[in-house]
Amino acid sequence: MLMNYQQSIDYIKKLTQFGMNFGLARIRKLLELLGNPHESLKVVHVGGTNGKGSTSAMLSSILIESGYTVGLFTSPHLHSYRERFRINGEMITEEDLASIITRIKPFLEQMVADGFEHPTEFEVGTAMAFVYFFEKRVDIVVLEVGLGGEIDSTNVVAEPLVSVITNVAMDHMDYLGDTVEKIASVKAGIIKHKRPVVTAAKKPEVLKILKERSIKENAPFYRIDKDFGVQTIELSSTGSVFRICGLRGVYENVKTPLLGEHQGENLSIAIVISELLQKSGFEKITRATIYQGAERVVWKGRLEIISENPLVLIDVAHNVDGITTLKKALHTIFSHKPMTLVIGMLADKEREKALEIIASMAQRVIVTKPLSPRAGNWGEITGMAKKYCQRVTTIPYVIDAVEAALHEMDPEGILVVTGSFYMVSEARRWLEENKEKLKYCTN
């Protein structure tokens, strides 16, 4: 019987009971039962600690502007599970999502009956993406790694057009390893035989591991500051301008609405991928479509100004590397603005380091609780914040925390809401729904 959309979402939520269970045996079996749709798709595989979502969005935008039908698979989502599956920027319809999950469900039951472990929620989502993009006959798929690389379910793609590792930093240490070298080794697992690799990683110990894996796989290796590069021209609250030195030429004054100097590296990667694709048959990609794609990209929740009066910025800076990038952007673009900070971080993050980086910039810090079982002892960061800021308050509910911050922030200042996806998504939804009220909140 065909499930409706809500039944499908409820079913997907129940799959979280199977937790995070790495390995490729389950996803391979599931895809085999579904006819191996992934084997018919042309895929760019994008991994990395930070920036992989922005890079994927930029590349997708360039390909769309070039006239291709583009599938984009990303995770997690901000507001709707449908955000994970996009074709030319449009989310999957409720009807298509319900239809696909209805058809996949019997195969999940069959796998369990045959003695296989039940696939995880992310594995099912990955299979859904492959089915959806195959059935819609997309020209190319931009596929974001979920977590890690080597044993992530997206790594069933055997022959990607390009493998991308944006960068490598400390995150998800419980799953990937407690050193940057171990994490790099896991992420290097998406490097495939004779398939080009593009990275903006700069740490020598990381580059050594990625380079060694590329040599082993006889994969052409392109890295920033050697084979391509970026120069920042202008950073403002309305966007960024960069000069990109690609593999096939220089791109002067490339504009993007995404904020922050770090987006220059992401953009340079997207342009290099575009050049490699152009060389391998995607001839509709031109310099003009690269410029257009960069200028028209949309990627929510990343240094996103959600309101200008009062000035409210949200960012899913959920690890130390992300918090460092956020601080740099705030210092560069909004240094003259008194800052109020609302923050909520999961227990498996380096929270002490994150607070040391960001809390000293704020006039006031409000600590809140992410809606996640991984929130742990979320209130611990109140004490951490007090080491760096005199005015620190704990407000458990995210919306209450945001409202309190709006009422107490400097009218000429900036409110920054950051931390876990779970917390930022909840805050963003409320801010979007109450935009008209925001101007009356500040003193």
Side-chain angles (χ1 to χ4, degrees), residues 193-421:
H193 186 59
K194 292 187 176 181
R195 300 294 168 162
V197 182
V198 181
T199 186
K202 296 179 180 179
K203 296 174 182 175
E205 61 272 34
V206 169
L207 284 170
K208 180 175 182 290
I209 289 166
L210 300 185
K211 183 66 175 176
E212 286 175 352
R213 183 64 175 254
S214 297
I215 291 170
K216 180 182 177 183
E217 296 294 342
N218 196 19
F221 188 72
Y222 304 97
R223 69 178 180 89
I224 200 166
D225 295 340
K226 181 178 183 293
D227 304 294
F228 63 97
V230 58
Q231 178 183 351
T232 302
I233 303 300
E234 183 182 342
L235 301 173
S236 73
S237 60
T238 58
S240 311
V241 183
F242 302 100
R243 180 179 188 267
I244 308 291
C245 294
L247 303 178
R248 307 181 75 182
V250 176
Y251 303 78
E252 302 283 358
N253 298 317
V254 189
K255 300 175 183 177
T256 177
L258 303 186
L259 307 189
E261 189 170 24
H262 64 293
Q263 294 295 1
E265 293 187 355
N266 296 331
L267 181 57
S268 67
I269 294 172
I271 288 176
V272 168
I273 300 167
S274 300
E275 291 177 322
L276 292 170
L277 292 174
Q278 186 184 44
K279 190 177 176 181
S280 64
F282 286 81
E283 296 174 354
K284 291 191 289 184
I285 299 171
T286 65
R287 290 180 66 87
T289 62
I290 287 172
Y291 276 91
Q292 290 162 9
E295 194 162 3
R296 295 175 184 174
V297 66
V298 175
W299 195 232
K300 297 174 181 177
R302 284 76 175 175
L303 280 169
E304 179 186 8
I305 295 176
I306 204 80
S307 165
E308 293 186 359
N309 182 27
L311 184 57
V312 181
L313 180 145
I314 63 170
D315 187 57
V316 286
H318 56 284
N319 55 38
V320 168
D321 207 49
I323 289 286
T324 302
T325 298
L326 170 62
K327 177 180 179 177
K328 187 174 182 181
L330 291 170
H331 181 74
T332 303
I333 304 170
F334 302 104
S335 60
H336 59 292
K337 295 283 187 182
M339 186 177 94
T340 298
L341 176 70
V342 176
I343 187 167
M345 297 188 71
L346 300 179
D348 59 355
K349 306 298 178 181
E350 295 178 291
R351 300 186 296 187
E352 179 85 52
K353 289 183 181 178
L355 268 296
E356 181 180 351
I357 292 165
I358 196 73
S360 59
M361 296 185 72
Q363 284 190 335
R364 180 174 182 194
V365 176
I366 299 178
V367 174
T368 191
K369 179 183 179 182
L371 281 176
S372 168
R374 290 159 54 207
N377 192 353
W378 61 275
E380 279 185 345
I381 66 173
T382 301
M384 300 172 190
K386 285 181 177 178
K387 297 178 185 178
Y388 310 102
C389 179
Q390 291 185 340
R391 299 177 64 201
V392 181
T393 309
T394 304
I395 301 178
Y397 296 106
V398 173
I399 304 309
D400 291 347
V402 172
E403 284 195 271
L406 285 165
H407 283 294
E408 298 179 30
M409 68 180 282
D410 188 317
E412 300 301 316
I414 181 171
L415 169 59
V416 176
V417 181
T418 192
S420 80
F421 263 91

Side-chain angles (χ1 to χ4, degrees), residues 60-77:
S60 177
S61 184
I62 290 169
L63 290 166
I64 292 167
E65 292 298 324
S66 302
Y68 294 104
T69 302
V70 185
L72 175 63
F73 177 62
T74 59
S75 62
H77 57 272

